[in-house]
Amino acid sequence: MKQIFDRNYPVTSLLLGLTTVVFLLTQLVYFGQATSAQTIFNVGGMLGAYVKYDPTQLWRLVSPIFVHIGWQHFLLNMLSLYFMGRMVEDIFGSKNYLLLYVLSGVMGNVFTLFLTPNVVAAGASTSLFGLFAAVAFLGYQSKNHYLNQIGRSYFTLIVINMVFSLFSPDTSLAGHLGGAVGGLLLSVMLKTQVDPFAFKKEQRVTASLVFIGLSLGMIGLSLWG
């Protein structure tokens, strides 16, 4: 098996390393209380009500991507990132893959801010749902046989995980939904290495405008609506 931190997949390795460092430091500093809502908030979790009170806290649209609530949450997401991240990095290339991961997570946290402002939320699943949705939609749109195959598999995984989210009180359905919406739009916006002409220029522009408008609109309504 390849080493976990592989220079052939620099972004996946970076994301795994950064998220692991944040998690282990949280366990060390807040030993015995690392899963409490206060701890998760302290280390960068999203709490929409507080962001509304203090808009300078908008950096929390990014930080929750790297924060996890307990070992099970952390290990499940990191395993998903390890296996799925490498494939998506191959498809999009390192630069666009990083944009896809981070911006999907941001959109997921925008949905959390807007729809569930009184819940402390965190986790890479907002970004991971973005990866799922991006590959699923790309597979549907592209004429590339490889992308068609994995796209169908990823669509099934999205449906299963969304249903699971409905019945899991500890799971942020809003964050997962937002991440998936972000990933879908970003799959149009960002060119891939496998099929760079899957979408027309006009479609990329439209998707970019929708992504920006939706993000800014929900943030604006959350803070000043």
Side-chain angles (χ1 to χ4, degrees):
M1 185 177 179
K2 290 184 178 180
Q3 58 183 355
I4 293 178
F5 299 101
D6 191 337
R7 63 184 179 183
N8 294 318
Y9 298 96
V11 172
T12 300
S13 297
L14 172 65
L15 294 171
L16 283 167
L18 179 58
T19 308
T20 299
V21 168
V22 171
F23 181 78
L24 293 179
L25 284 176
T26 302
Q27 304 308 303
L28 180 63
V29 175
Y30 294 95
F31 184 76
Q33 298 182 332
T35 60
S36 72
Q38 185 62 55
T39 293
I40 300 305
F41 174 78
N42 289 347
V43 297
M46 168 58 74
L47 178 58
Y50 191 75
V51 176
K52 290 181 180 183
Y53 170 75
D54 181 7
T56 66
Q57 296 286 311
L58 279 171
W59 53 268
R60 291 181 185 272
L61 294 176
V62 177
S63 58
I65 300 170
F66 305 100
V67 177
H68 287 83
I69 308 169
W71 283 94
Q72 182 178 355
H73 189 211
F74 168 72
L75 291 174
L76 180 61
N77 279 347
M78 291 305 96
L79 282 172
S80 298
L81 175 58
Y82 175 76
F83 289 108
M84 180 169 58
R86 291 170 173 238
M87 183 178 66
V88 180
E89 190 164 358
D90 276 335
I91 293 172
F92 281 90
S94 295
K95 179 181 177 181
N96 283 347
Y97 165 59
L98 178 60
L99 289 172
L100 172 60
Y101 187 88
V102 173
L103 292 179
S104 292
V106 168
M107 182 64 86
N109 288 317
V110 168
F111 270 60
T112 301
L113 167 68
F114 184 71
L115 296 174
T116 55
N118 296 314
V119 175
V120 176
S125 52
T126 50
S127 294
L128 295 174
F129 265 81
L131 302 188
F132 279 129
V135 175
F137 189 65
L138 184 63
Y140 173 79
Q141 177 68 22
S142 175
K143 295 179 181 179
N144 182 284
H145 181 65
Y146 167 68
L147 291 177
N148 291 157
Q149 284 187 316
I150 62 173
R152 285 193 292 270
S153 300
Y154 273 38
F155 178 77
T156 302
L157 286 172
I158 290 174
V159 173
I160 292 173
N161 278 280
M162 281 296 186
V163 172
F164 178 77
S165 297
L166 287 173
F167 298 98
S168 177
D170 297 326
T171 301
S172 174
L173 178 60
H176 290 179
L177 177 62
V181 170
L184 188 152
L185 292 170
L186 287 158
S187 71
V188 181
M189 295 162 57
L190 303 171
K191 286 187 176 182
T192 70
Q193 297 186 136
V194 178
D195 186 0
F197 303 107
F199 298 98
K200 298 177 181 178
K201 181 179 179 181
E202 311 87 77
Q203 293 174 310
R204 297 188 188 282
V205 172
T206 299
S208 300
L209 292 175
V210 172
F211 186 95
I212 294 170
L214 184 60
S215 300
L216 294 180
M218 295 180 79
I219 292 171
L221 287 172
S222 296
L223 299 185
W224 302 290

